[in-house]
């Protein structure tokens, strides 16, 4: 039993920290121009919106019913909107980021941190699910872990790009991208030790729906406005479509 738990945890850990690959991709790029920034922020929004509407919300509907899942979705929207309003204005600027480097850096830092938190929340139950499937059958769980690792790479990019733009510290941003993926093994550990008796379909369903609402709100309130404010609207749209396409392919790989 001990060896099975260790194998399942190792698979979950490797799948989770693949967000770090996305962070390394961002760190290795020598400069981040406005076009790349617009496309990358759009890409991040596309990743999060597609995950939310194609994976998380449908999972919530399957576990609950359409009415309760939609209630959970907009509950997540309301929750993050209230949190956003409660943050003091001096660290939560909503003005255009063009022409003011301090506000631009501030907005990017905030976008990166909130994106990292949202992706970590998304990865927490995902890690628990990966761990449980690996515990049941490690061989059948291998393609699941590989597919999750692949679709965690763009999630790492989503966290690293705004943080690097805000601070200029490329490897620091890559490190935070990696940390966001550690929510998966953390979810596995907490789920196994504490939450397993309580993590029924209803709890998981509400979790998925609420997280979907949070991620969609962040995409429209933080990532896309910052992308468009670079002055390269079309690049941000191209990024959105590219992010959605890559996430669609990665989700198709999931058994």
């Amino acid at each position: 039993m001990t060896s099975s738990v260790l194998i399942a945890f190792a698979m979950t850990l490797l799948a989770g920290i693949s967000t770090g690959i996305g962070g390394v991709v961002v760190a290795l790029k020598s400069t981040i121009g406005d076009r790349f920034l617009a496309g990358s922020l759009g890409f991040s929004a596309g990743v999060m919106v597609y995950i939310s509407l194609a994976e998380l919300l449908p999972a919530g509907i399957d576990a609950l019913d359409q009415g309760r899942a939609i209630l959970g979705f907009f509950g997540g929207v309301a929750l993050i909107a209230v949190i956003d309003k409660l943050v003091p204005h001096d660290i939560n600027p909503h003005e255009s980021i063009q022409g003011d480097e301090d506000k631009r850096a501030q907005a990017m830092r905030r976008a990166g941190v909130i994106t990292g938190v949202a992706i970590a929340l998304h990865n927490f139950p995902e890690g628990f699910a990966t761990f449980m499937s690996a515990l049941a059958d490690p061989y059948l769980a291998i393609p699941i872990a590989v597919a999750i690792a692949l679709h965690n790479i763009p999630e790492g990019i989503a966290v690293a790009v705004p943080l690097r733009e805000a601070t200029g510290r490329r490897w620091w941003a890559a490190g935070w991208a990696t940390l966001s993926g550690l929510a998966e093994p953390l979810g596995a550990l907490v789920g196994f030790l504490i939450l397993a008796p309580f993590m029924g379909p209803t709890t998981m369903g509400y979790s998925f729906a609420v997280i979907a609402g949070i991620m969609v709100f962040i995409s429209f309130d933080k990532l896309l406005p910052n992308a468009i404010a670079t002055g390269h609207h079309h690049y941000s749209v191209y990024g959105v479509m590219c992010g959605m396409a890559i996430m669609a392919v990665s989700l198709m790989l999931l058994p």
Side-chain angles (χ1 to χ4, degrees), residues 63-64 124-125 128 132 187 189-207:
L64 304 165
F124 192 89
F128 180 64
M132 295 305 293
L189 184 63
V190 173
F192 181 70
L193 295 177
I194 302 172
L195 298 178
F198 308 101
M199 293 297 283
T202 299
T203 303
M204 291 295 287
Y206 276 117
S207 298

Side-chain angles (χ1 to χ4, degrees), residues 37-47 223-224 227 235-241 243-244:
L37 182 61
S40 297
L41 291 172
F43 178 89
S44 302
V47 166
L223 298 177
L224 283 177
Y235 281 87
S236 64
V237 175
Y238 300 153
V240 169
M241 295 300 106
M244 288 185 171

